[in-house]
Amino acid sequence: MSKRSHTQLHTSIDPDGQPLQKTRPSGIRRRSVTDDMGQFEDAWEDEIEEELVQNPTNDPEVDEEEDIMETIHEDEDDQGHPRQPEPDAFIPGRHALGKDEILEPDDSVYEMRHSVQVKWPSLSFDVLRDNLGDQRQRYPATAYIVAGTQASSPKDNDISVYKMSALHRTQNDGDDSDSDDQDDADALDEDAVLEFRSVPHFGGVNRLRAQPLPTSVPFPPVSQPYYVSTWAETGKVHIWDVRPLLEALDVPGYTYDKNRVNSPVFTITSHGRAEGFAVDWASSGNANPSALRLLTGDIHSKIYLTTTGQAGFNASPQPFTTHTSSVEDLQWSPSESSVFASCSADRSIQIWDVRIKGKKSAAGIDRAHETDVNVISWNKLTAYLLLSGGDEGAIKAWDLRNIKKKGSTNLDPAPVASFSWHRAPVTSIEWHPTEDSIFAASGADDQVTLWDLAVEQDDDEMVDGAGGPNEQDIPPQLLFVHQGQKDVKEIHWHPQIPGAVISTALDGFNVFKTISV
Protein backbone atom coordinates (compact mmCIF):
# COMPACT_ATOMS: atom_id res chain seq x y z
CA MET A 1 0.00 0.00 0.00
CA SER A 2 1.27 3.54 -0.65
CA LYS A 3 2.29 5.79 2.21
CA ARG A 4 0.90 9.27 2.68
CA SER A 5 2.20 12.04 4.85
CA HIS A 6 0.17 13.31 7.75
CA THR A 7 0.03 16.72 6.05
CA GLN A 8 -1.95 15.29 3.14
CA LEU A 9 -4.99 14.50 5.26
CA HIS A 10 -7.92 16.49 6.56
CA THR A 11 -6.67 16.20 10.14
CA SER A 12 -4.78 19.22 11.42
CA ILE A 13 -4.01 20.28 14.97
CA ASP A 14 -3.46 23.82 16.22
CA PRO A 15 -0.70 24.65 18.70
CA ASP A 16 -3.07 24.28 21.62
CA GLY A 17 -3.86 20.68 20.70
CA GLN A 18 -7.35 21.47 19.32
CA PRO A 19 -8.43 20.35 15.84
CA LEU A 20 -8.94 23.23 13.45
CA GLN A 21 -12.53 24.01 12.51
CA LYS A 22 -12.47 22.93 8.87
CA THR A 23 -10.17 19.94 9.25
CA ARG A 24 -11.10 18.34 12.55
CA PRO A 25 -11.03 14.54 12.72
CA SER A 26 -14.22 14.56 14.74
CA GLY A 27 -17.69 15.21 13.41
CA ILE A 28 -18.82 16.35 16.86
CA ARG A 29 -18.44 19.67 18.57
CA ARG A 30 -19.72 20.81 21.92
CA ARG A 31 -21.78 23.80 22.93
CA SER A 32 -23.22 25.14 26.14
CA VAL A 33 -26.90 24.96 26.98
CA THR A 34 -26.73 26.97 30.22
CA ASP A 35 -29.77 29.03 29.31
CA ASP A 36 -32.27 29.34 26.49
CA MET A 37 -30.07 31.73 24.53
CA GLY A 38 -26.92 29.63 24.98
CA GLN A 39 -23.49 31.00 25.78
CA PHE A 40 -21.29 32.96 23.44
CA GLU A 41 -18.38 35.30 23.68
CA ASP A 42 -19.20 38.97 23.11
CA ALA A 43 -16.32 40.42 21.18
CA TRP A 44 -17.31 44.04 22.01
CA GLU A 45 -17.20 43.53 25.80
CA ASP A 46 -13.60 42.27 25.83
CA GLU A 47 -10.82 44.71 26.60
CA ILE A 48 -8.46 44.74 23.65
CA GLU A 49 -4.87 45.80 24.10
CA GLU A 50 -3.75 47.54 20.92
CA GLU A 51 -0.12 47.76 19.97
CA LEU A 52 0.89 51.20 18.70
CA VAL A 53 2.48 51.18 15.29
CA GLN A 54 4.88 53.93 14.47
CA ASN A 55 3.77 56.03 11.49
CA PRO A 56 6.86 57.42 9.88
CA THR A 57 4.83 59.94 7.87
CA ASN A 58 2.88 61.14 10.93
CA ASP A 59 -0.22 61.03 8.75
CA PRO A 60 -3.30 60.70 11.03
CA GLU A 61 -5.38 59.32 8.16
CA VAL A 62 -3.02 56.35 7.82
CA ASP A 63 -3.31 55.56 11.52
CA GLU A 64 -7.09 55.83 11.35
CA GLU A 65 -7.33 53.55 8.30
CA GLU A 66 -5.10 50.89 9.88
CA ASP A 67 -7.15 50.97 13.09
CA ILE A 68 -10.38 50.48 11.11
CA MET A 69 -8.95 47.58 9.08
CA GLU A 70 -7.59 45.91 12.21
CA THR A 71 -10.97 46.21 13.92
CA ILE A 72 -12.77 44.71 10.91
CA HIS A 73 -10.23 41.89 10.68
CA GLU A 74 -10.49 40.96 14.34
CA ASP A 75 -14.15 41.54 15.13
CA GLU A 76 -16.02 41.14 11.82
CA ASP A 77 -16.17 38.78 8.88
CA ASP A 78 -15.85 39.77 5.24
CA GLN A 79 -19.45 40.99 5.19
CA GLY A 80 -19.00 43.12 8.28
CA HIS A 81 -21.00 40.76 10.52
CA PRO A 82 -19.83 40.05 14.08
CA ARG A 83 -17.33 37.19 14.09
CA GLN A 84 -18.57 34.23 16.13
CA PRO A 85 -16.18 32.28 18.37
CA GLU A 86 -14.78 29.07 16.93
CA PRO A 87 -16.54 25.99 18.41
CA ASP A 88 -14.41 23.36 20.09
CA ALA A 89 -14.06 19.90 18.58
CA PHE A 90 -14.86 17.27 21.18
CA ILE A 91 -12.11 14.64 21.24
CA PRO A 92 -12.94 11.50 23.26
CA GLY A 93 -10.33 10.64 25.84
CA ARG A 94 -8.96 14.18 25.90
CA HIS A 95 -12.09 16.19 26.62
CA ALA A 96 -15.02 15.68 28.94
CA LEU A 97 -18.43 17.27 28.77
CA GLY A 98 -18.96 19.88 31.43
CA LYS A 99 -22.18 20.69 33.21
CA ASP A 100 -24.94 21.80 30.83
CA GLU A 101 -22.86 20.85 27.76
CA ILE A 102 -24.12 18.62 24.97
CA LEU A 103 -22.64 17.31 21.74
CA GLU A 104 -23.90 18.47 18.38
CA PRO A 105 -22.72 17.34 14.93
CA ASP A 106 -20.57 19.58 12.77
CA ASP A 107 -22.12 19.14 9.34
CA SER A 108 -19.26 20.99 7.62
CA VAL A 109 -17.20 17.76 7.85
CA TYR A 110 -19.93 15.51 6.45
CA GLU A 111 -20.91 15.10 2.85
CA MET A 112 -23.98 13.14 3.96
CA ARG A 113 -25.40 12.37 7.41
CA HIS A 114 -28.76 10.84 8.26
CA SER A 115 -30.26 9.21 11.35
CA VAL A 116 -32.97 6.58 10.97
CA GLN A 117 -35.07 5.28 13.86
CA VAL A 118 -36.74 1.86 13.81
CA LYS A 119 -39.18 0.07 16.13
CA TRP A 120 -36.69 -2.39 17.64
CA PRO A 121 -32.89 -2.06 17.90
CA SER A 122 -30.66 -4.34 15.85
CA LEU A 123 -27.43 -5.92 17.03
CA SER A 124 -26.50 -6.85 13.47
CA PHE A 125 -27.28 -5.97 9.85
CA ASP A 126 -25.77 -6.25 6.41
CA VAL A 127 -25.79 -4.15 3.24
CA LEU A 128 -27.68 -5.69 0.32
CA ARG A 129 -26.47 -5.45 -3.24
CA ASP A 130 -28.83 -3.57 -5.54
CA ASN A 131 -29.15 -2.86 -9.26
CA LEU A 132 -28.67 0.94 -9.02
CA GLY A 133 -25.05 0.79 -10.17
CA ASP A 134 -21.56 0.62 -8.64
CA GLN A 135 -19.35 3.56 -7.62
CA ARG A 136 -22.31 5.91 -7.67
CA GLN A 137 -21.85 9.50 -6.48
CA ARG A 138 -25.16 11.21 -7.21
CA TYR A 139 -27.58 12.47 -4.59
CA PRO A 140 -30.11 11.79 -3.26
CA ALA A 141 -28.76 8.29 -2.66
CA THR A 142 -30.60 5.03 -1.97
CA ALA A 143 -29.39 2.08 0.11
CA TYR A 144 -30.84 -1.35 0.95
CA ILE A 145 -29.98 -3.20 4.15
CA VAL A 146 -31.30 -6.25 5.98
CA ALA A 147 -31.40 -6.37 9.78
CA GLY A 148 -32.56 -8.61 12.60
CA THR A 149 -34.21 -7.27 15.71
CA GLN A 150 -33.73 -7.53 19.46
CA ALA A 151 -37.33 -7.21 20.65
CA SER A 152 -38.57 -7.40 24.23
CA SER A 153 -40.27 -10.74 23.53
CA PRO A 154 -38.90 -13.63 21.40
CA LYS A 155 -42.12 -13.81 19.35
CA ASP A 156 -41.95 -10.10 18.44
CA ASN A 157 -38.67 -10.36 16.53
CA ASP A 158 -38.37 -10.18 12.77
CA ILE A 159 -36.01 -9.81 9.84
CA SER A 160 -36.57 -6.59 7.91
CA VAL A 161 -35.33 -5.49 4.52
CA TYR A 162 -35.07 -1.69 4.58
CA LYS A 163 -34.99 0.70 1.65
CA MET A 164 -33.43 4.01 2.68
CA SER A 165 -34.10 6.62 0.02
CA ALA A 166 -33.95 10.44 -0.21
CA LEU A 167 -30.46 10.38 1.34
CA HIS A 168 -29.62 13.97 0.45
CA ARG A 169 -26.32 15.77 0.76
CA THR A 170 -25.72 17.37 4.12
CA GLN A 171 -23.85 20.39 2.75
CA ASN A 172 -23.69 22.39 -0.49
CA ASP A 173 -20.93 21.50 -2.90
CA GLY A 174 -19.81 25.12 -3.26
CA ASP A 175 -21.41 25.66 -6.68
CA ASP A 176 -23.07 29.08 -6.58
CA SER A 177 -24.18 29.03 -10.22
CA ASP A 178 -27.76 29.93 -11.03
CA SER A 179 -28.99 26.53 -12.12
CA ASP A 180 -31.81 24.09 -11.54
CA ASP A 181 -29.77 22.59 -8.71
CA GLN A 182 -31.30 25.14 -6.32
CA ASP A 183 -34.19 22.75 -5.69
CA ASP A 184 -31.69 20.13 -4.56
CA ALA A 185 -29.98 22.65 -2.31
CA ASP A 186 -33.30 23.52 -0.67
CA ALA A 187 -33.84 19.80 0.05
CA LEU A 188 -30.55 19.23 1.83
CA ASP A 189 -32.20 19.19 5.24
CA GLU A 190 -34.98 16.77 4.30
CA ASP A 191 -35.28 13.54 6.25
CA ALA A 192 -34.53 10.21 4.67
CA VAL A 193 -37.45 8.00 3.60
CA LEU A 194 -37.58 4.53 5.16
CA GLU A 195 -39.60 1.66 3.69
CA PHE A 196 -39.39 -1.97 4.78
CA ARG A 197 -40.77 -5.48 4.40
CA SER A 198 -40.48 -7.98 7.26
CA VAL A 199 -40.75 -11.68 8.02
CA PRO A 200 -41.20 -13.13 11.54
CA HIS A 201 -38.16 -14.51 13.34
CA PHE A 202 -38.56 -16.32 16.64
CA GLY A 203 -35.89 -15.16 19.07
CA GLY A 204 -33.51 -12.24 18.95
CA VAL A 205 -30.98 -12.08 16.10
CA ASN A 206 -27.41 -12.15 17.42
CA ARG A 207 -25.69 -11.86 14.07
CA LEU A 208 -26.86 -11.54 10.47
CA ARG A 209 -24.96 -11.89 7.21
CA ALA A 210 -26.09 -11.67 3.59
CA GLN A 211 -24.85 -13.88 0.78
CA PRO A 212 -22.03 -12.00 -1.02
CA LEU A 213 -23.01 -11.12 -4.58
CA PRO A 214 -20.04 -10.31 -6.83
CA THR A 215 -20.17 -7.08 -8.79
CA SER A 216 -19.00 -8.86 -11.93
CA VAL A 217 -22.37 -10.54 -12.50
CA PRO A 218 -25.83 -8.99 -13.04
CA PHE A 219 -28.17 -8.52 -10.12
CA PRO A 220 -30.14 -11.79 -9.79
CA PRO A 221 -33.74 -11.94 -11.03
CA VAL A 222 -36.55 -12.42 -8.52
CA SER A 223 -36.75 -16.11 -9.44
CA GLN A 224 -33.24 -16.64 -8.04
CA PRO A 225 -32.67 -16.70 -4.26
CA TYR A 226 -30.76 -14.04 -2.31
CA TYR A 227 -29.79 -15.74 0.95
CA VAL A 228 -29.41 -14.22 4.41
CA SER A 229 -28.27 -16.18 7.48
CA THR A 230 -29.28 -15.35 11.07
CA TRP A 231 -27.75 -16.56 14.33
CA ALA A 232 -30.75 -16.80 16.68
CA GLU A 233 -30.51 -16.62 20.45
CA THR A 234 -32.29 -19.99 20.44
CA GLY A 235 -29.09 -21.73 19.27
CA LYS A 236 -30.21 -22.19 15.67
CA VAL A 237 -28.86 -20.69 12.46
CA HIS A 238 -31.55 -19.97 9.87
CA ILE A 239 -31.09 -19.31 6.15
CA TRP A 240 -33.71 -17.11 4.45
CA ASP A 241 -34.47 -15.98 0.91
CA VAL A 242 -35.05 -12.20 0.93
CA ARG A 243 -35.08 -11.61 -2.84
CA PRO A 244 -38.92 -11.28 -3.00
CA LEU A 245 -38.82 -8.62 -0.26
CA LEU A 246 -36.51 -6.48 -2.37
CA GLU A 247 -38.87 -6.83 -5.30
CA ALA A 248 -41.83 -5.80 -3.13
CA LEU A 249 -40.01 -2.60 -2.13
CA ASP A 250 -39.27 -1.62 -5.74
CA VAL A 251 -42.35 -2.78 -7.66
CA PRO A 252 -45.69 -1.26 -6.55
CA GLY A 253 -48.35 -3.89 -6.02
CA TYR A 254 -45.93 -6.80 -6.17
CA THR A 255 -47.06 -9.78 -4.11
CA TYR A 256 -44.85 -12.71 -3.16
CA ASP A 257 -45.33 -16.27 -2.04
CA LYS A 258 -45.27 -16.14 1.77
CA ASN A 259 -44.36 -19.81 1.92
CA ARG A 260 -41.11 -18.94 0.17
CA VAL A 261 -40.29 -15.96 2.41
CA ASN A 262 -41.83 -16.43 5.87
CA SER A 263 -40.10 -19.73 6.61
CA PRO A 264 -36.35 -20.48 6.57
CA VAL A 265 -34.97 -22.24 3.53
CA PHE A 266 -32.75 -24.24 5.84
CA THR A 267 -31.97 -24.41 9.57
CA ILE A 268 -28.60 -25.47 10.99
CA THR A 269 -29.07 -27.40 14.23
CA SER A 270 -25.46 -28.63 14.61
CA HIS A 271 -24.82 -26.31 17.56
CA GLY A 272 -27.57 -27.86 19.68
CA ARG A 273 -28.78 -25.27 22.16
CA ALA A 274 -25.51 -23.32 22.20
CA GLU A 275 -25.91 -19.68 21.32
CA GLY A 276 -23.50 -18.02 18.92
CA PHE A 277 -22.42 -14.84 17.16
CA ALA A 278 -19.85 -15.83 14.52
CA VAL A 279 -21.02 -16.36 10.94
CA ASP A 280 -19.58 -15.69 7.49
CA TRP A 281 -20.41 -16.57 3.88
CA ALA A 282 -17.65 -17.42 1.41
CA SER A 283 -17.67 -15.49 -1.82
CA SER A 284 -18.28 -17.98 -4.61
CA GLY A 285 -17.03 -15.62 -7.31
CA ASN A 286 -20.34 -15.98 -9.13
CA ALA A 287 -24.05 -15.84 -8.38
CA ASN A 288 -24.52 -19.60 -8.43
CA PRO A 289 -26.45 -20.50 -5.24
CA SER A 290 -25.28 -24.13 -5.48
CA ALA A 291 -21.65 -23.17 -4.71
CA LEU A 292 -22.08 -21.47 -1.34
CA ARG A 293 -20.25 -22.14 1.92
CA LEU A 294 -21.27 -20.86 5.34
CA LEU A 295 -19.30 -20.94 8.60
CA THR A 296 -20.94 -20.66 12.03
CA GLY A 297 -19.28 -20.54 15.46
CA ASP A 298 -20.84 -20.80 18.94
CA ILE A 299 -20.03 -19.90 22.54
CA HIS A 300 -18.92 -23.49 23.23
CA SER A 301 -15.88 -23.01 20.90
CA LYS A 302 -17.32 -25.11 18.02
CA ILE A 303 -17.22 -24.08 14.35
CA TYR A 304 -19.34 -25.83 11.72
CA LEU A 305 -19.26 -25.66 7.93
CA THR A 306 -22.43 -25.74 5.82
CA THR A 307 -22.22 -26.14 2.05
CA THR A 308 -24.65 -26.22 -0.85
CA GLY A 309 -25.04 -28.68 -3.68
CA GLN A 310 -27.65 -29.81 -6.17
CA ALA A 311 -29.72 -31.25 -3.32
CA GLY A 312 -29.59 -28.01 -1.29
CA PHE A 313 -27.83 -27.18 1.97
CA ASN A 314 -25.76 -29.71 3.87
CA ALA A 315 -24.40 -29.11 7.39
CA SER A 316 -21.23 -30.99 8.31
CA PRO A 317 -21.61 -32.91 11.60
CA GLN A 318 -17.91 -32.61 12.55
CA PRO A 319 -16.82 -29.27 14.08
CA PHE A 320 -13.51 -27.45 13.91
CA THR A 321 -12.08 -27.63 17.44
CA THR A 322 -9.00 -25.69 18.44
CA HIS A 323 -10.48 -22.76 20.35
CA THR A 324 -11.04 -23.18 24.07
CA SER A 325 -13.68 -20.49 24.52
CA SER A 326 -16.46 -18.70 22.65
CA VAL A 327 -15.91 -18.14 18.93
CA GLU A 328 -16.61 -14.43 18.40
CA ASP A 329 -16.06 -13.87 14.67
CA LEU A 330 -15.23 -15.70 11.42
CA GLN A 331 -13.76 -14.54 8.10
CA TRP A 332 -13.15 -16.47 4.89
CA SER A 333 -9.89 -15.76 3.08
CA PRO A 334 -10.42 -13.50 0.05
CA SER A 335 -7.69 -15.29 -1.92
CA GLU A 336 -7.78 -18.98 -0.87
CA SER A 337 -11.16 -20.67 -1.09
CA SER A 338 -10.40 -23.34 1.52
CA VAL A 339 -8.92 -21.05 4.20
CA PHE A 340 -10.67 -19.06 6.93
CA ALA A 341 -9.77 -17.19 10.12
CA SER A 342 -11.48 -17.14 13.50
CA CYS A 343 -11.13 -15.20 16.74
CA SER A 344 -12.20 -16.14 20.22
CA ALA A 345 -12.66 -15.15 23.84
CA ASP A 346 -9.58 -17.30 24.49
CA ARG A 347 -7.56 -14.29 23.17
CA SER A 348 -6.42 -16.11 20.02
CA ILE A 349 -6.74 -15.78 16.26
CA GLN A 350 -6.64 -19.07 14.38
CA ILE A 351 -6.11 -19.83 10.68
CA TRP A 352 -7.78 -22.96 9.29
CA ASP A 353 -7.76 -24.99 6.10
CA VAL A 354 -10.92 -27.04 5.57
CA ARG A 355 -8.93 -29.65 3.63
CA ILE A 356 -6.85 -30.64 6.67
CA LYS A 357 -8.13 -33.75 8.40
CA GLY A 358 -8.84 -33.59 12.10
CA LYS A 359 -10.47 -30.16 11.91
CA LYS A 360 -7.62 -28.44 13.75
CA SER A 361 -6.26 -24.97 12.98
CA ALA A 362 -3.14 -24.82 10.82
CA ALA A 363 -1.63 -21.66 12.32
CA GLY A 364 -2.52 -18.94 14.74
CA ILE A 365 -1.70 -16.20 17.21
CA ASP A 366 -2.38 -17.53 20.69
CA ARG A 367 -2.04 -14.20 22.52
CA ALA A 368 -3.34 -11.74 19.96
CA HIS A 369 -4.95 -9.44 22.57
CA GLU A 370 -4.83 -8.90 26.30
CA THR A 371 -8.48 -9.95 26.57
CA ASP A 372 -11.21 -11.43 24.33
CA VAL A 373 -10.73 -10.95 20.59
CA ASN A 374 -14.16 -9.72 19.52
CA VAL A 375 -13.95 -9.07 15.78
CA ILE A 376 -11.67 -9.61 12.78
CA SER A 377 -11.64 -8.39 9.17
CA TRP A 378 -9.63 -9.84 6.28
CA ASN A 379 -8.39 -7.36 3.69
CA LYS A 380 -9.92 -8.28 0.34
CA LEU A 381 -7.37 -6.23 -1.63
CA THR A 382 -4.19 -7.05 0.30
CA ALA A 383 -4.90 -10.62 1.33
CA TYR A 384 -2.09 -10.96 3.88
CA LEU A 385 -3.51 -8.21 6.15
CA LEU A 386 -5.95 -9.00 8.94
CA LEU A 387 -7.49 -6.61 11.46
CA SER A 388 -8.61 -7.51 14.96
CA GLY A 389 -10.44 -5.67 17.73
CA GLY A 390 -10.29 -6.63 21.38
CA ASP A 391 -12.36 -6.34 24.50
CA GLU A 392 -9.76 -3.98 25.95
CA GLY A 393 -10.44 -1.50 23.11
CA ALA A 394 -7.26 -2.16 21.13
CA ILE A 395 -7.17 -2.42 17.32
CA LYS A 396 -4.35 -4.42 15.73
CA ALA A 397 -3.27 -5.09 12.15
CA TRP A 398 -1.49 -8.38 11.42
CA ASP A 399 0.70 -9.54 8.56
CA LEU A 400 -0.36 -13.15 8.10
CA ARG A 401 2.91 -13.95 6.39
CA ASN A 402 4.54 -13.70 9.83
CA ILE A 403 2.24 -16.23 11.49
CA LYS A 404 3.87 -19.60 12.09
CA LYS A 405 2.33 -23.01 11.70
CA LYS A 406 1.13 -24.97 14.70
CA GLY A 407 3.92 -26.68 16.59
CA SER A 408 6.46 -23.97 15.86
CA THR A 409 8.56 -22.84 18.82
CA ASN A 410 8.52 -19.22 17.66
CA LEU A 411 6.77 -16.65 19.82
CA ASP A 412 3.60 -14.96 18.61
CA PRO A 413 4.35 -12.29 15.98
CA ALA A 414 4.03 -8.60 16.73
CA PRO A 415 1.27 -6.65 14.95
CA VAL A 416 2.34 -4.33 12.15
CA ALA A 417 0.17 -1.62 13.69
CA SER A 418 -1.62 -1.22 17.01
CA PHE A 419 -3.96 1.49 18.30
CA SER A 420 -5.49 1.99 21.73
CA TRP A 421 -7.85 4.84 20.93
CA HIS A 422 -11.16 3.22 21.92
CA ARG A 423 -11.87 3.25 25.66
CA ALA A 424 -14.27 0.27 25.58
CA PRO A 425 -14.60 -3.05 23.69
CA VAL A 426 -14.32 -2.87 19.91
CA THR A 427 -17.67 -4.10 18.60
CA SER A 428 -17.10 -4.09 14.83
CA ILE A 429 -14.28 -3.59 12.35
CA GLU A 430 -14.18 -3.63 8.54
CA TRP A 431 -11.74 -2.82 5.75
CA HIS A 432 -12.79 -0.35 3.08
CA PRO A 433 -13.98 -2.32 0.00
CA THR A 434 -11.79 -0.45 -2.52
CA GLU A 435 -8.99 1.20 -0.48
CA ASP A 436 -6.58 -1.34 0.97
CA SER A 437 -5.23 0.90 3.78
CA ILE A 438 -8.51 2.35 5.12
CA PHE A 439 -10.80 0.74 7.67
CA ALA A 440 -13.65 1.60 10.00
CA ALA A 441 -14.22 0.48 13.58
CA SER A 442 -16.85 0.94 16.26
CA GLY A 443 -16.71 0.60 20.02
CA ALA A 444 -18.87 0.36 23.10
CA ASP A 445 -17.60 3.88 23.89
CA ASP A 446 -20.17 5.21 21.36
CA GLN A 447 -17.56 5.98 18.70
CA VAL A 448 -17.27 5.09 15.03
CA THR A 449 -13.72 5.73 13.86
CA LEU A 450 -12.19 5.87 10.37
CA TRP A 451 -8.50 5.04 9.91
CA ASP A 452 -5.83 5.04 7.20
CA LEU A 453 -2.74 2.89 7.75
CA ALA A 454 -0.97 4.61 4.86
CA VAL A 455 -0.51 7.78 6.92
CA GLU A 456 2.89 8.24 8.52
CA GLN A 457 3.67 10.48 11.48
CA ASP A 458 5.43 13.72 10.54
CA ASP A 459 7.92 14.51 13.29
CA ASP A 460 7.36 18.25 12.80
CA GLU A 461 3.65 17.83 13.52
CA MET A 462 3.79 15.67 16.62
CA VAL A 463 1.38 16.99 19.24
CA ASP A 464 1.65 16.73 22.98
CA GLY A 465 -1.31 15.07 24.66
CA ALA A 466 -1.57 17.64 27.45
CA GLY A 467 -5.02 18.44 28.63
CA GLY A 468 -6.06 16.26 31.52
CA PRO A 469 -5.81 12.91 33.21
CA ASN A 470 -6.86 11.10 30.03
CA GLU A 471 -4.23 12.81 27.91
CA GLN A 472 -3.12 10.99 24.79
CA ASP A 473 -1.88 11.88 21.36
CA ILE A 474 -4.19 11.70 18.38
CA PRO A 475 -2.86 8.95 16.09
CA PRO A 476 -2.08 10.40 12.66
CA GLN A 477 -3.82 7.39 11.12
CA LEU A 478 -7.11 8.42 12.74
CA LEU A 479 -9.07 10.21 10.00
CA PHE A 480 -12.43 10.79 11.62
CA VAL A 481 -14.50 10.21 14.76
CA HIS A 482 -18.27 9.91 14.34
CA GLN A 483 -20.36 10.15 17.52
CA GLY A 484 -23.93 10.70 18.60
CA GLN A 485 -25.21 7.12 18.75
CA LYS A 486 -25.75 5.09 21.91
CA ASP A 487 -24.17 1.63 22.22
CA VAL A 488 -22.88 1.17 18.65
CA LYS A 489 -22.96 -2.53 17.71
CA GLU A 490 -21.96 -2.88 14.05
CA ILE A 491 -20.71 -0.94 11.04
CA HIS A 492 -20.43 -1.63 7.32
CA TRP A 493 -19.13 0.28 4.32
CA HIS A 494 -21.60 0.48 1.46
CA PRO A 495 -19.81 -1.35 -1.40
CA GLN A 496 -21.63 0.58 -4.13
CA ILE A 497 -21.54 4.11 -2.63
CA PRO A 498 -17.84 4.96 -2.15
CA GLY A 499 -17.03 6.21 1.34
CA ALA A 500 -20.54 5.72 2.77
CA VAL A 501 -20.76 4.06 6.19
CA ILE A 502 -23.84 2.58 7.89
CA SER A 503 -23.89 1.88 11.62
CA THR A 504 -26.45 0.35 13.95
CA ALA A 505 -26.89 1.16 17.62
CA LEU A 506 -29.43 1.08 20.41
CA ASP A 507 -31.12 4.19 19.02
CA GLY A 508 -31.28 3.18 15.35
CA PHE A 509 -29.17 3.51 12.21
CA ASN A 510 -26.80 6.23 10.99
CA VAL A 511 -25.87 6.65 7.32
CA PHE A 512 -23.01 9.04 6.70
CA LYS A 513 -20.17 9.97 4.39
CA THR A 514 -17.35 12.20 5.58
CA ILE A 515 -15.04 14.60 3.76
CA SER A 516 -12.10 12.49 5.00
CA VAL A 517 -12.79 9.32 2.97
Side-chain angles (χ1 to χ4, degrees), residues 297-314:
D298 61 38
I299 61 173
H300 290 170
S301 74
K302 301 294 192 301
I303 301 172
Y304 288 91
L305 173 64
T306 299
T307 57
T308 57
Q310 296 298 327
F313 288 93
N314 177 43

Side-chain angles (χ1 to χ4, degrees), residues 43 57 82 87 100 103 119 136 143 221 241 275 380 386 431 471:
T57 62
D100 299 321
L103 294 177
K119 181 179 179 181
R136 53 185 188 261
D241 178 11
E275 197 173 356
K380 292 179 171 57
L386 184 80
W431 287 103
E471 63 183 23

Side-chain angles (χ1 to χ4, degrees), residues 259-333:
N259 292 327
R260 174 184 173 184
V261 174
N262 285 10
S263 299
V265 176
F266 185 76
T267 296
I268 302 170
T269 59
S270 307
H271 300 275
R273 296 185 178 181
E275 197 173 356
F277 294 87
V279 59
D280 192 43
W281 291 93
S283 177
S284 62
N286 55 61
N288 183 8
S290 64
L292 297 174
R293 290 163 294 143
L294 179 68
L295 288 168
T296 54
D298 61 38
I299 61 173
H300 290 170
S301 74
K302 301 294 192 301
I303 301 172
Y304 288 91
L305 173 64
T306 299
T307 57
T308 57
Q310 296 298 327
F313 288 93
N314 177 43
S316 173
Q318 185 179 1
F320 297 90
T321 57
T322 295
H323 285 298
T324 59
S325 188
S326 173
V327 180
E328 298 295 297
D329 202 6
L330 291 161
Q331 287 272 289
W332 282 99
S333 167

Side-chain angles (χ1 to χ4, degrees), residues 231-451:
W231 238 123
E233 62 183 0
T234 59
K236 297 178 180 179
V237 179
H238 303 293
I239 298 175
W240 311 77
D241 178 11
V242 300
R243 182 62 182 88
L245 300 181
L246 282 167
E247 196 74 6
L249 287 170
D250 289 338
V251 179
Y254 177 82
T255 58
Y256 53 83
D257 182 3
K258 291 186 177 181
N259 292 327
R260 174 184 173 184
V261 174
N262 285 10
S263 299
V265 176
F266 185 76
T267 296
I268 302 170
T269 59
S270 307
H271 300 275
R273 296 185 178 181
E275 197 173 356
F277 294 87
V279 59
D280 192 43
W281 291 93
S283 177
S284 62
N286 55 61
N288 183 8
S290 64
L292 297 174
R293 290 163 294 143
L294 179 68
L295 288 168
T296 54
D298 61 38
I299 61 173
H300 290 170
S301 74
K302 301 294 192 301
I303 301 172
Y304 288 91
L305 173 64
T306 299
T307 57
T308 57
Q310 296 298 327
F313 288 93
N314 177 43
S316 173
Q318 185 179 1
F320 297 90
T321 57
T322 295
H323 285 298
T324 59
S325 188
S326 173
V327 180
E328 298 295 297
D329 202 6
L330 291 161
Q331 287 272 289
W332 282 99
S333 167
S335 60
E336 300 181 64
S337 60
S338 63
V339 176
F340 69 91
S342 63
C343 67
S344 169
D346 62 14
R347 302 191 304 161
S348 75
I349 297 173
Q350 304 294 335
I351 308 298
W352 313 73
D353 191 326
V354 298
R355 298 169 299 180
I356 296 179
K357 296 181 180 180
K359 306 292 185 181
K360 299 290 184 180
S361 62
I365 309 171
D366 291 334
R367 293 174 295 276
H369 283 258
E370 298 176 3
T371 56
D372 303 1
V373 188
N374 295 333
V375 287
I376 53 175
S377 180
W378 208 318
N379 196 313
K380 292 179 171 57
L381 302 176
T382 306
Y384 57 81
L385 288 179
L386 184 80
L387 286 171
S388 64
D391 216 39
E392 78 280 15
I395 296 172
K396 298 183 180 183
W398 305 92
D399 187 334
L400 297 182
R401 295 172 299 182
N402 298 331
I403 297 179
K404 305 301 181 182
K405 294 183 178 180
K406 287 294 181 179
S408 172
T409 58
N410 294 47
L411 297 176
D412 289 328
V416 295
S418 181
F419 308 101
S420 297
W421 175 264
H422 285 276
R423 297 306 183 98
V426 177
T427 58
S428 184
I429 198 165
E430 187 171 280
W431 287 103
H432 191 287
T434 59
E435 298 287 343
D436 67 348
S437 65
I438 295 177
F439 68 90
S442 66
D445 53 0
D446 302 335
Q447 295 187 66
V448 175
T449 53
L450 307 183
W451 303 78

